Amino acid sequence: MIKLVMGDLAEKRVKSGVQLIDGRDFPNQEFTDGLVSLVNQKGAFLGTAYLSPQNKGIGWVLSRSAMDLTEDYLIGLFEKAKKKRHRFEHSDLTTAYRLFNQDGDNLGGVTIDRYGDYALFSWYNTYIYL
């Protein structure tokens, strides 16, 4: 996995929980559409992220630990999000709600909105779409 060295300000944002990776921190970054290990300038591991240029930022932090973006990992995220919003599924007050909320559910770049029996999937970059 490619290592992406983060400067002090970017490191502070990652450690504070910000998941969006700002392209201004990496003006000469040419690698796109893949997983990277985030390390600080001393080589200490900061987390796992994926890079894929989009309207805002160049990628998203997935985890503060080493991980692979597997089908099981994604299924777990979607199941956890569905469980958090279970009360909306049988609500008498609404049939429309956000089922999956990108970085709020630990997968920046994708949202799923539910409208009755339909779901609208939104992908914000090519990597997460593929």
Side-chain angles (χ1 to χ4, degrees):
M1 188 177 303
I2 292 175
K3 289 184 181 180
L4 182 63
V5 179
M6 305 192 89
D8 292 338
L9 291 176
E11 177 182 0
K12 285 180 185 177
R13 283 196 297 275
V14 168
K15 286 183 175 179
S16 71
V18 175
Q19 294 177 1
L20 183 66
I21 299 173
D22 193 328
R24 293 174 292 185
D25 293 322
F26 310 98
N28 299 318
Q29 177 62 34
E30 294 182 22
F31 175 75
T32 60
D33 293 334
L35 289 178
V36 295
S37 293
L38 304 175
V39 296
N40 66 14
Q41 293 178 350
K42 295 178 182 174
F45 182 82
L46 299 173
T48 303
Y50 77 86
L51 299 186
S52 191
Q54 57 189 32
N55 179 24
K56 185 178 178 183
I58 62 166
W60 296 89
V61 176
L62 296 171
S63 175
R64 295 285 313 278
S65 58
M67 49 113 17
D68 288 319
L69 192 56
T70 64
E71 185 176 337
D72 288 340
Y73 175 78
L74 295 173
I75 289 170
L77 289 180
F78 294 137
E79 286 176 345
K80 186 176 178 183
K82 185 177 179 182
K83 186 176 180 181
K84 277 198 295 191
R85 294 167 183 95
H86 183 264
R87 69 182 185 277
F88 294 117
E89 190 171 355
H90 303 290
S91 174
D92 293 332
L93 302 175
T94 188
T95 60
Y97 59 96
R98 178 145 292 166
L99 181 59
F100 193 87
N101 187 28
Q102 56 174 331
D103 53 334
D105 287 316
N106 294 314
L107 185 60
V110 63
T111 59
I112 304 171
D113 294 314
R114 179 119 186 246
Y115 300 97
D117 292 334
Y118 299 92
L120 173 65
F121 290 74
S122 300
W123 293 275
Y124 295 109
N125 58 61
T126 56
Y127 183 76
I128 204 67
Y129 176 75
L130 300 173

